[in-house]
Amino acid sequence: ETILTIYAESQEMAGVKTYKTITVKPLDFEDIPSVTAGSKTTVTIDGIEWYVLVKDNGKALLWAKEPVASLGTLMFGSNNIWQNSTVRTTLNGDWLNGTTVLKEKVVQTDITTRSQVGSTTWITTQDKVFLLSEADLFGTFDGTKTSNAQDYTYGNTQIVPDVNMRKSTADSWLRSPYSNAYNIASVDTTGTVKCYSYGTSYSVRPALWVDYVS
């Protein structure tokens, strides 16, 4: 929270002045209904700032504004497949269980991820917490424009078109294979797509659907 002190002084009566101190509280879970989806306004839940990317029928898609400090850096996994990844196991296990509000409000959803670069098949996982895809941020898969809904988290929509929302203090993983069988897409600090080997450790910006009505 932020404490502001407002001063006022009379123009007609010299020396007559007063002040008032007010406390400005960050927006939190209860403020989600008032936030415009896709805007830079954030809500703070469980000590983390979240963008509200989408609102749909009483549910909101949240994405961490910055890499989550408690997660540190994580190696993606033993291959570049989201279904088998260390990141997926950690997010849906220890990390989610360690939250207070989110674990009570999160909604499990079907997430589709292309099985490999050059593949026309997708793997569907049921996740409470996940990473966004390359298409979600850039409208592409492996650097090529895609209109296939299975490359996206929501419809066939690029849900983070604003480069300033993609920027953060550290490079972070996405869930999409990129370039070859050893690499995974990521977003760097400037909001640009990059790729790294699945055996490299990078930061994590989780995404999840929450029920903000019930």
Side-chain angles (χ1 to χ4, degrees):
E1 61 185 32
T2 302
I3 299 176
L4 301 177
T5 302
I6 302 172
Y7 292 90
E9 185 171 355
S10 172
Q11 293 183 337
E12 288 78 21
M13 302 177 65
V16 176
K17 53 187 176 182
T18 189
Y19 71 92
K20 182 176 180 63
T21 300
I22 60 173
T23 300
V24 180
K25 183 180 74 69
L27 299 181
D28 59 20
F29 184 88
E30 302 301 326
D31 296 303
I32 290 177
S34 67
V35 174
T36 300
S39 71
K40 294 178 186 175
T41 302
T42 60
V43 293
T44 300
I45 308 169
D46 288 327
I48 300 168
E49 279 191 85
W50 302 90
Y51 290 123
V52 181
L53 299 182
V54 176
K55 290 196 284 189
D56 186 348
N57 197 29
K59 296 177 176 57
L61 175 57
L62 307 181
W63 185 46
K65 180 180 179 181
E66 292 287 345
V68 172
S70 64
L71 286 164
T73 59
L74 293 175
M75 188 170 66
F76 190 85
S78 59
N79 55 40
N80 67 343
I81 300 173
W82 164 249
Q83 181 184 33
N84 306 324
S85 69
T86 301
V87 176
R88 178 175 180 243
T89 301
T90 301
L91 288 176
N92 285 277
D94 291 345
W95 181 78
L96 181 61
N97 292 334
T99 64
T100 300
V101 176
L102 292 171
K103 69 181 179 183
E104 300 298 328
K105 299 294 184 178
V106 68
V107 178
Q108 183 167 285
T109 188
D110 286 350
I111 298 296
T112 54
T113 308
R114 199 165 313 227
S115 60
Q116 200 47 260
V117 173
S119 175
T120 56
T121 61
W122 286 258
I123 298 171
T124 300
T125 54
Q126 288 74 45
D127 295 314
K128 291 183 176 180
V129 193
F130 48 92
L131 301 179
L132 294 185
S133 69
E134 177 193 343
D136 291 335
L137 273 65
F138 305 100
T140 58
F141 174 75
D142 196 28
T144 301
K145 287 290 183 183
T146 176
S147 59
N148 196 309
Q150 291 172 290
D151 284 324
Y152 295 85
T153 296
Y154 182 71
N156 60 347
T157 305
Q158 182 183 351
I159 51 179
V160 194
D162 189 331
V163 66
N164 290 314
M165 292 173 67
R166 299 198 298 257
K167 292 178 181 179
S168 69
T169 55
D171 295 5
S172 56
W173 292 117
L174 300 174
R175 70 173 191 265
S176 308
Y178 193 100
S179 177
N180 58 48
Y182 297 95
N183 290 335
I184 283 287
S186 66
V187 56
D188 71 8
T189 57
T190 68
T192 303
V193 65
K194 283 192 174 180
C195 69
Y196 297 103
S197 166
Y198 56 73
T200 310
S201 293
Y202 280 95
S203 298
V204 180
R205 295 171 70 179
L208 67 165
W209 285 96
V210 294
D211 188 339
Y212 66 88
V213 172
S214 60

